[in-house]
Amino acid sequence: MRTRHGAVVGIVLAVLGVSACTADQKAGPEAAAAFTPVPAPKSLREGLLTQERLPRGFRLNKVTVEPTSTAASVTPVPIASLRCDELEVDSFMTTHAPPLENVAVGLERTPTGGEDDGWFGRESLDRYVPGRAAEVMDAIRGAAKRCASFTTTLTDGTRIRETASVTPAGVPADESLLIHFTSAFPGDSKPFEKVTGFVRQGDVILVVQHSSSRKPSTDAQEVLAAAVKAYRSTAGG
């Protein structure tokens, strides 16, 4: 169950209420970046960020994050028809586009004082059968456009106005995008913000998810760039 506290400090959880999705604004276009294809690492976990590969000031908050099981007991709801609030859930990929293999690591940056509330998130790598990763990226892009503006109703009846917008990720890849989420609670003048980056390298999708905060941050983009560099440095090794 999603709570107000979870919107502040944690990866947003699935909501048990009802979400209505209306595309009342268009997602932005993706900019092309210089790219040279690379093969996937022999061991997918080798492509994850390590402490040595992280930007200065960041650290691993767990050595590994246990991957969400991809052996779904029921047919997963496809991305094209998911509820809009589910785009923000940390198990989004394994729930709605189960990969052949999933590995992940938890990340953080501690607050430096003032309005800086730090950064918490995760990186995951999802490997698919040939051709499937491109289909998943198309579905993610389509869902973000469909859910450009929507309302989430919590179990206590509170209605939260939410938006999702797409901007270029600006990293070398077959394709990539950033989804910027905002969540406005009644009576609050400033919405919570969260960024999730999706990067496709061949049949692997690299995802960096940022837990929500009130202060806009470029930390997610910084971590995403480092994650892509780390993956490409170990690909084919």
Side-chain angles (χ1 to χ4, degrees):
M1 178 170 61
R2 182 178 176 182
T3 65
R4 184 188 184 93
H5 178 263
V8 182
V9 297
I11 299 293
V12 180
L13 302 177
V15 181
L16 299 181
V18 179
S19 293
C21 303
T22 57
D24 59 4
Q25 68 179 30
K26 294 182 179 180
E30 179 183 359
F35 175 64
T36 301
V38 294
K42 292 180 180 178
S43 170
L44 195 59
R45 187 169 294 281
E46 292 177 357
L48 284 170
L49 281 165
T50 61
Q51 186 61 55
E52 294 74 22
R53 298 169 182 165
L54 278 167
R56 185 175 182 179
F58 291 84
R59 66 187 182 191
L60 304 182
N61 60 17
K62 291 183 179 178
V63 175
T64 60
V65 171
E66 288 300 317
T68 304
S69 173
T70 60
S73 58
V74 295
T75 302
V77 176
I79 295 172
S81 54
L82 55 72
R83 295 198 321 263
C84 291
D85 62 278
E86 293 180 296
L87 274 171
E88 303 175 81
V89 179
D90 62 342
S91 60
F92 164 75
M93 296 292 278
T94 51
T95 300
H96 300 287
L100 293 175
E101 183 181 4
N102 166 261
V103 295
V105 64
L107 311 165
E108 68 178 328
R109 178 182 62 74
T110 56
T112 57
E115 295 184 357
D116 180 20
D117 51 8
W119 190 92
F120 295 89
R122 73 198 303 264
E123 178 205 7
S124 64
L125 295 173
D126 299 283
R127 182 173 63 84
Y128 293 89
V129 297
R132 174 58 177 156
E135 295 175 355
V136 171
M137 289 292 289
D138 285 343
I140 293 170
R141 190 177 290 105
K145 291 179 179 179
R146 173 172 63 87
C147 298
S149 179
F150 60 100
T151 300
T152 296
T153 302
L154 300 183
T155 53
D156 64 0
T158 301
R159 292 172 63 82
I160 304 171
R161 177 67 171 176
E162 309 212 48
T163 66
S165 61
V166 176
T167 63
V171 295
D174 287 304
E175 53 184 324
S176 63
L177 58 88
L178 294 172
I179 302 181
H180 300 253
F181 298 99
T182 65
S183 301
F185 287 79
D188 283 348
S189 59
K190 193 171 183 179
F192 293 101
E193 302 195 12
K194 175 181 178 179
V195 177
T196 301
F198 299 89
V199 176
R200 182 173 72 84
Q201 304 269 358
D203 298 316
V204 174
I205 297 180
L206 184 157
V207 183
V208 169
Q209 293 174 301
H210 159 228
S211 64
S212 59
S213 61
R214 287 188 181 273
K215 187 173 184 293
S217 171
T218 60
D219 285 346
Q221 291 92 317
E222 186 177 1
V223 172
L224 182 65
V228 170
K229 182 178 181 181
Y231 177 85
R232 290 175 63 81
S233 72
T234 57

